[in-house]
Amino acid sequence: MGYLRAQATEFLRALRRHRESGPGTGTGTGTAAGANGALGEPGRAAQPGDDVDAARALRRAARRISGTLHTFQPLLDAGWAEEMRPELAWLSGTLALEHAYASRLERLLQALHRLSGSTAFPAPRPVGRAATATTTSVPPAAPPTHPASANRGNLTVGAAKAGALLDRQLTLARTRAHSTALQALGSSRFHAVADKVALLASEVPLSSAGRRSATPAPGAAPVDLRPLATAARERLTDAVAALPLVTAGSPYNAEALVHGLSPDPAPHPQDTPWHQVRLLLRLHRYALEALAGADPRTDGTAGTDGTAGPPDDSVDVRLLAAGEALDRHRDASEAAAAAAQAARTPRIAPATAYALGVLHADQRHEVEAARYAFQHSWRKEPIRLP
């Protein structure tokens, strides 16, 4: 399959950029030692953000390879595909953690600022050179034109301490994620994955049906990829049909806050099916890209290098809008969980706990807004970009 080879090539290109940028050295010399001592190119001055962009490209290519293996598995060597998918999931998940913690902290600090009208919040602290390139501190807002009302006093008093607590907890988690990512990129496990992707760039291990598709016998019809892509779409449609879209369409879903004060730190029970739909929507989009021969460097929009997105039918404005809504849903859900976790910290002041409770409720309302946006987008007729 040409799409898999293209994704593997993009993975290797991103890996070469990542090695040249020297991730995590903090010196700007472009030298970093990996498991084989070759992660880096001595003497090259890394450009700011190079390793961040390369890590993002690695995650993007790994997700697409894994998703394609899942959707078109009947055409691929079963043992090879089953062995590759969990390794690619491990890699993309490990590389995504640091960015996720940084984005979560920024989201929560901005929400605290919006809720309290105060600017006394710490900026997210950088972690290494890579983190410095991506970290964007909360922009200072203009002072309020009127003093905070009396009923917001407790929130304003506790908001700064709540922000400091979140900063400590999420920065620590981000630091650990940064170290974990560096260790992963220097591990033998990662190099084994990279070696397999390098082989994939030249030859895709196919099943007997896949080989007939690649080299059909004279007079025989090639294997059609569309039934497998249609099956991915049907799985998505069935999952969306099981969602409580009527509840999501209401402006205030009280059921979403029922478990907000539960001592159970597990994820919110209402969120799981929505997260599953998000994954299925991504698989559907990747299947469309594979059918259309999409540019592997894009996510359906203009790429960072100015290239256009996938051609013609692989770009569906409805799918893009629905995917963005589900991304916001995921971000707000995880931010609410982080606020609830911080509120469980022993011996915090009542005003701090109150601010964290208001922050948690605010993010749960953001979850509901994202659900409403998703169902509003999903029920529209598909629109193709010109």
Side-chain angles (χ1 to χ4, degrees), residues 15-381:
L15 178 58
R16 182 172 64 251
R17 288 171 53 198
H18 198 277
R19 287 174 172 172
E20 291 173 351
S21 66
T25 63
T27 62
T29 61
T31 304
N36 59 1
L39 279 183
E41 185 177 289
R44 178 189 180 276
Q47 299 299 319
D50 277 359
D51 51 345
V52 177
D53 293 338
R56 185 180 297 112
L58 276 174
R59 297 200 312 266
R60 189 163 52 232
R63 287 198 308 265
R64 278 167 165 74
I65 295 173
S66 178
T68 305
L69 296 184
H70 180 275
T71 302
F72 300 101
Q73 185 171 348
L75 302 179
L76 304 169
D77 181 80
W80 173 81
E82 287 297 326
E83 184 180 357
M84 277 289 287
R85 281 176 52 201
E87 295 302 292
L88 291 168
W90 160 76
L91 176 60
S92 61
T94 300
L95 295 180
L97 279 178
E98 182 185 357
H99 173 72
Y101 284 123
S103 299
R104 196 170 306 157
L105 176 58
E106 181 179 0
R107 180 186 186 92
L108 289 169
L109 293 183
Q110 288 179 341
L112 276 173
H113 174 270
R114 170 173 48 82
L115 291 168
S116 67
S118 172
T119 59
F121 300 120
R125 291 176 294 204
V127 180
R129 183 175 58 81
T132 302
T134 56
T135 299
T136 56
S137 60
V138 179
T145 56
H146 56 82
S149 58
N151 60 356
R152 294 174 59 192
N154 288 337
L155 177 61
T156 304
V157 169
K161 291 185 178 180
L165 177 60
L166 289 168
D167 178 59
R168 288 196 302 271
Q169 293 184 349
L170 292 177
T171 299
L172 176 61
R174 180 185 174 188
T175 303
R176 291 172 175 169
H178 181 76
S179 300
T180 300
L182 290 181
Q183 293 172 3
L185 290 174
S187 67
S188 58
R189 183 179 182 182
F190 169 75
H191 289 292
V193 174
D195 289 342
K196 292 179 181 178
V197 173
L199 294 176
L200 178 63
S202 58
E203 182 179 359
V204 179
L206 299 172
S207 65
S208 57
R211 286 192 292 272
R212 289 197 304 272
S213 174
T215 55
V223 177
D224 192 357
L225 300 180
R226 288 177 294 180
L228 295 175
T230 300
R233 184 189 63 196
E234 291 175 348
R235 287 192 293 268
L236 169 63
T237 303
D238 292 342
V240 172
L243 292 176
L245 292 183
V246 175
T247 302
S250 61
Y252 180 81
N253 176 15
E255 295 179 8
L257 298 177
V258 168
H259 301 276
L261 297 179
S262 171
D264 186 4
H268 197 285
Q270 279 198 3
D271 295 343
T272 302
W274 294 85
H275 295 332
Q276 181 65 18
V277 167
R278 176 177 172 272
L279 295 178
L280 292 174
L281 177 61
R282 176 177 287 177
L283 291 176
H284 175 49
R285 286 183 52 214
Y286 295 167
L288 292 179
E289 290 182 9
L291 290 181
D295 189 330
R297 293 169 291 178
T298 65
D299 277 316
T301 57
T304 56
D305 56 358
T307 57
D312 302 331
D313 290 343
S314 67
V315 176
D316 187 333
V317 174
R318 183 185 66 151
L319 292 182
L320 294 179
E324 290 174 357
L326 291 176
D327 286 343
R328 294 197 304 271
H329 177 276
R330 187 267 321 265
D331 294 342
S333 172
E334 293 179 348
Q341 183 64 33
R344 296 185 180 97
T345 304
R347 297 183 297 276
I348 59 176
T352 305
Y354 173 64
L356 290 168
V358 173
L359 181 60
H360 173 268
D362 174 76
Q363 292 303 301
R364 290 308 307 179
H365 283 299
E366 292 288 336
V367 166
E368 292 306 306
R371 292 178 182 178
Y372 178 79
F374 169 79
Q375 65 93 17
H376 185 69
S377 299
W378 185 258
R379 290 177 173 175
K380 288 183 176 180
E381 291 296 325

